[in-house]
């Protein structure tokens, strides 16, 4: 304390104008405070810019949030796909959203857009309409919009198509058809047909995600694939001229997506094996075409036990048997499997054939006007399709129909129908990760943030640029506020006197 007092006394003897000294001290304090504010601004701006850069870099590889109705959570850093298992299955290995998007040939932003789901949204990736069922009633179709359909085709061709299915599955399987589905049940004493109620809607999001996870994909990729292949339960509301879609958090397999049949076949592999075991136990044959289950055999006494076991197995596998669509067809009555009569030989229903012959006669006589067959918009394409179907079952009759259609086309030409875009080229290009349509929109990748995007205090822009090394100005001009005040020099005030006093006032010796 004595030393400090002696220093103060020595300094006091040097000061001739105490007011000027105090004023100089005040000015130096103000200048230091201003500089500290500038340094704080620069530091915060630098940190803000670096955070924006880090977040942008993070978003280039992962998706962290997909809306309050998607239920999506990003994968942990150590959660990677099982590359060995995927390679054994002949499937591409992806461990994050960026790799998946690159494989699909799209931007990460496009993948984020097509999987994002809020409980209230103004965007819907499906078009809904009702279609008449052959058995009566209507079926709600959810047709994906082109941008989503493109990715679903990619998933189907790249991931689902290579998977091995059970030999009992005949629907939507390459090389199999309704004919191969009916063949095992030809000339049997009893044929049993069962229908699965609400087949696609019964397959929920957890089952879809679990299917992709079992293939070897990690949580993040399996979740994204499941979101692409599922649809939320949606209600449409209009308010103030704007349409809103209210999305439920529950999702299901959409009726109308190109991935739905293949996914259902993969999910039903265990069901098919169990039902085949049950059928073999009772001496029956078993096949499945989508949601149609067919059993046939010679032991009519085993039918009750077979029905009981089949219903219990279906329920255990998470499906439901339609209570009104189980048919038991014995040898004395018409036995039909997926529209094909199987009593003695494979044949098409005679009533339907008569209607088709009558239609061909009317078209040949009057032309295409006001004629229709099935749900097709193009009458010529519809009758050709049915003729090819008949030829699959009965080559002789089918060939005769095709010859009649060729004569009709030669006589009347082609119907005046606006051609719609076909799926063939669309699907091929989508499967290759290419843009199917030149006019199709794709969400662009987010640009890297710039300093102009993040800065809030432009008065320190030159200092921030210098701190980040973004530019090296020749001379950094400081704003008027940041110019340090110059300490007035007086003849009676030695150099460094103010600094010494400041140090003493701060308790430094």
């Amino acid at each position: 304390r004595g030393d400090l007092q002696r220093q103060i006394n020595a300094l006091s003897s040097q000061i001739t104008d105490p007011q000027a000294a105090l004023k100089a001290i005040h000015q130096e304090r103000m200048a230091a405070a201003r500089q500290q504010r500038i340094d704080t601004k620069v530091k915060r701006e630098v940190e803000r810019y670096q955070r924006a850069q880090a977040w942008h870099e993070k978003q280039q590889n992962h998706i962290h949030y997909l809306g309050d109705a998607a239920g999506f959570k990003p994968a942990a850093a150590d959660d990677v796909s099982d590359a060995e298992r995927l390679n054994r299955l002949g499937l591409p290995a992806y461990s994050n959203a960026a790799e998946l998007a690159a494989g699909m040939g799209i931007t990460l932003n496009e993948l984020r857009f097509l999987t994002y789901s809020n409980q209230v949204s103004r965007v819907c990736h499906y078009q809904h309409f009702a279609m008449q069922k052959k058995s009566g009633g209507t079926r709600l179709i959810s047709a994906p919009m082109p941008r989503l359909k493109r990715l679903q085709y990619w998933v189907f061709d790249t991931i689902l198509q290579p998977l091995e299915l059970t030999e009992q599955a005949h629907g939507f399987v390459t090389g199999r058809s309704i004919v191969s589905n009916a063949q095992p049940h030809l000339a049997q004493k009893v044929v049993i047909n069962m229908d699965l109620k609400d087949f696609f809607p019964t397959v929920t999001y957890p089952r879809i995600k679990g299917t992709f996870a079992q293939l070897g994909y990690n949580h993040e990729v399996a979740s994204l694939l499941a979101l692409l292949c599922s649809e939320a339960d949606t209600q449409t509301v209009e308010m103030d001229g704007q349409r809103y879609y209210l999305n439920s958090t529950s999702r299901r397999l959409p009726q109308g997506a190109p991935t739905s049949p293949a996914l259902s076949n993969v999910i039903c592999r265990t069901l098919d094996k169990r039902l085949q075991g049950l059928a073999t136990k009772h001496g029956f044959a078993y096949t499945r075409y989508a949601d149609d289950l067919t059993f046939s055999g010679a032991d009519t006494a085993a039918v009750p036990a077979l029905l009981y076991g089949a219903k219990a197995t279906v329920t255990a596998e998470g499906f439901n048997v339609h209570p009104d669509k189980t048919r038991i067809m014995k040898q004395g009555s018409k036995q039909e499997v997926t529209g094909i009569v199987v009593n003695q030989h494979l044949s098409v229903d005679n009533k339907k054939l008569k209607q088709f012959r009558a239609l061909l006669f009317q078209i040949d006589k009057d032309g295409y006007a006001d004629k229709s067959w099935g749900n097709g918009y193009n009458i010529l394409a519809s009758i050709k399709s049915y003729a090819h179907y008949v030829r699959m079952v009965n080559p002789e009759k089918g060939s005769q129909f095709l010859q009649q259609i060729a004569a009709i086309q030669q006589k009347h030409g082609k119907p005046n129908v606006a051609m719609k875009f076909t799926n063939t080229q669309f699907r091929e290009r989508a499967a290759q990760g290419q843009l199917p349509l030149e006019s199709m929109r794709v969400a662009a990748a987010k640009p890297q943030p710039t300093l102009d995007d993040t800065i809030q205090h432009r008065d320190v822009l030159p200092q921030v640029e210098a701190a980040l090394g973004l530019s090296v100005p020749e001379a950094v001009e400081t704003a008027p506020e940041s110019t340090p005040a110059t300490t007035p020099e007086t003849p009676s005030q030695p150099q460094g006197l103010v600094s010494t006093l400041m140090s003493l006032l701060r308790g430094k010796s």
Side-chain angles (χ1 to χ4, degrees):
R1 183 173 181 180
D3 290 340
L4 180 61
Q5 187 63 47
R6 281 191 294 272
Q7 291 183 45
I8 292 174
N9 292 337
L11 289 170
S12 298
S13 65
Q14 300 177 38
I15 297 174
T16 58
D17 188 352
Q19 293 296 327
L22 289 173
K23 184 177 180 180
I25 291 172
H26 177 71
Q27 288 176 339
E28 186 169 337
R29 279 183 170 180
M30 293 295 292
R34 283 194 293 268
Q35 188 59 45
Q36 186 176 8
R37 287 198 298 270
I38 292 172
D39 293 342
T40 301
K41 283 183 182 179
V42 172
K43 179 183 177 183
R44 288 177 178 174
E45 293 294 349
V46 169
E47 290 175 347
R48 184 181 293 111
Y49 177 78
Q50 291 173 340
R51 285 197 303 271
Q53 291 291 329
W55 177 245
H56 177 265
E57 183 64 27
K58 200 173 183 180
Q59 283 188 311
Q60 300 314 299
N61 296 312
H62 297 279
I63 293 177
H64 300 86
Y65 182 69
L66 287 175
D68 53 18
F72 174 82
K73 293 181 181 178
D78 58 349
D79 182 18
V80 296
S81 297
D82 189 344
E84 184 179 347
R85 177 170 174 77
L86 290 168
N87 288 333
R88 285 201 310 267
L89 295 172
L91 302 178
Y94 305 113
S95 288
N96 58 49
E99 294 176 2
L100 178 62
M104 290 177 165
I106 60 171
T107 63
L108 190 63
N109 244 15
E110 179 76 354
L111 181 60
R112 185 182 286 111
F113 170 71
L114 293 173
T115 52
Y116 198 92
S117 180
N118 262 340
Q119 292 186 25
V120 180
S121 175
R122 291 191 295 180
V123 177
C124 183
H125 298 301
Y126 287 89
Q127 187 177 18
H128 302 95
F129 57 91
M131 182 177 286
Q132 292 292 328
K133 294 182 181 179
K134 292 181 180 179
S135 58
T138 58
R139 176 182 284 112
L140 180 64
I141 302 298
S142 300
M145 304 298 277
R147 290 169 72 176
L148 177 59
K149 192 174 186 179
R150 169 194 177 184
L151 300 194
Q152 290 178 343
Y153 272 133
W154 184 92
V155 173
F156 173 73
D157 285 302
T158 308
I159 297 177
L160 299 176
Q161 185 80 350
L163 298 178
E164 184 178 350
L165 301 175
T166 62
E167 61 181 14
Q168 292 80 26
H170 292 265
F172 313 102
V173 180
T174 304
R176 303 178 195 176
S177 64
I178 56 174
V179 175
S180 64
N181 182 65
Q183 190 69 47
H185 308 291
L186 184 63
Q188 296 291 334
K189 284 189 176 181
V190 61
V191 176
I192 304 170
N193 185 261
M194 304 174 75
D195 185 85
L196 300 181
K197 185 178 181 181
D198 298 328
F199 182 48
F200 285 166
T202 304
V203 181
T204 56
Y205 173 81
R207 299 181 73 175
I208 302 170
K209 178 185 172 183
T211 299
F212 288 115
Q214 286 178 353
L215 298 178
Y217 289 109
N218 67 342
H219 164 79
E220 182 171 330
V221 175
S223 298
L224 291 169
L225 292 172
L227 287 169
L228 288 172
C229 298
S230 62
E231 179 195 19
D233 294 326
T234 304
Q235 290 183 333
T236 305
V237 176
E238 296 221 5
M239 185 171 63
D240 297 333
Q242 177 66 53
R243 179 173 295 178
Y244 295 92
Y245 301 96
L246 308 183
N247 299 315
S248 168
T249 54
S250 61
R251 301 179 68 89
R252 53 183 173 74
L253 212 56
Q255 179 91 34
T259 48
S260 294
L263 267 170
S264 66
N265 279 335
V266 174
I267 291 171
C268 285
R269 287 187 293 190
T270 303
L271 173 67
D272 289 338
K273 291 176 182 178
R274 292 185 64 182
L275 290 179
Q276 181 58 60
L278 177 68
T280 302
K281 176 182 176 181
H282 294 287
F284 276 64
Y286 162 72
T287 62
R288 180 181 60 82
Y289 194 95
D291 58 350
D292 287 328
L293 315 179
T294 305
F295 300 88
S296 65
D299 188 3
T300 56
V303 170
L306 181 68
L307 288 174
Y308 179 83
K311 289 179 181 179
T313 302
V314 167
T315 302
E317 290 298 320
F319 296 98
N320 299 298
V321 174
H322 200 297
D324 302 326
K325 292 189 176 181
T326 298
R327 295 186 300 162
I328 302 173
M329 298 164 282
K330 296 186 178 179
Q331 206 167 29
S333 60
K334 183 174 73 172
Q335 297 173 324
E336 195 174 24
V337 177
T338 52
I340 298 178
V341 179
V342 294
N343 287 73
Q344 298 299 326
H345 54 82
L346 299 182
S347 62
V348 183
D349 182 65
N350 284 329
K351 183 179 179 181
K352 196 76 175 278
L353 286 175
K354 288 179 181 179
Q355 292 174 347
F356 188 67
R357 287 194 190 96
L359 175 66
L360 294 183
F361 175 79
Q362 292 296 327
I363 294 175
D364 183 58
K365 178 183 175 184
D366 304 324
Y368 302 111
D370 301 324
K371 307 296 191 305
S372 64
W373 183 260
N375 295 317
Y377 70 96
N378 187 329
I379 180 62
L380 182 59
S382 296
I383 60 177
K384 279 185 177 181
S385 177
Y386 186 75
H388 281 291
Y389 158 70
V390 174
R391 189 170 67 171
M392 254 193 332
V393 181
N394 190 321
E396 184 179 350
K397 286 183 181 178
S399 298
Q400 290 175 358
F401 286 145
L402 288 172
Q403 289 174 6
Q404 284 182 260
I405 293 171
I408 289 172
Q409 189 171 345
Q410 187 173 7
K411 180 178 179 181
H412 296 286
K414 294 183 178 180
N416 187 18
V417 178
M419 294 301 294
K420 292 188 178 180
F421 182 75
T422 60
N423 278 337
T424 305
Q425 188 177 9
F426 187 102
R427 175 178 171 180
E428 289 175 354
R429 293 177 66 86
Q432 295 167 5
Q434 300 176 3
L435 194 65
L437 301 172
E438 296 299 332
S439 60
M440 183 179 289
R441 288 182 58 193
V442 176
K446 283 188 177 181
Q448 191 170 2
T450 64
L451 190 55
D452 283 339
D453 298 326
T454 63
I455 195 161
Q456 295 182 2
H457 301 283
R458 292 192 172 273
D459 55 313
V460 294
L461 179 59
Q463 293 94 321
V464 175
E465 287 178 335
L468 291 169
L470 299 179
S471 65
V472 184
E474 293 181 2
V476 178
E477 296 183 1
T478 311
E481 180 191 359
S482 62
T483 304
T486 305
T487 305
E489 296 183 4
T490 59
S492 60
Q493 184 175 308
Q495 187 72 22
L497 178 60
V498 173
S499 298
T500 305
L501 285 171
M502 291 290 294
S503 298
L504 290 171
L505 291 172
R506 283 195 287 263
K508 297 179 181 179
S509 58

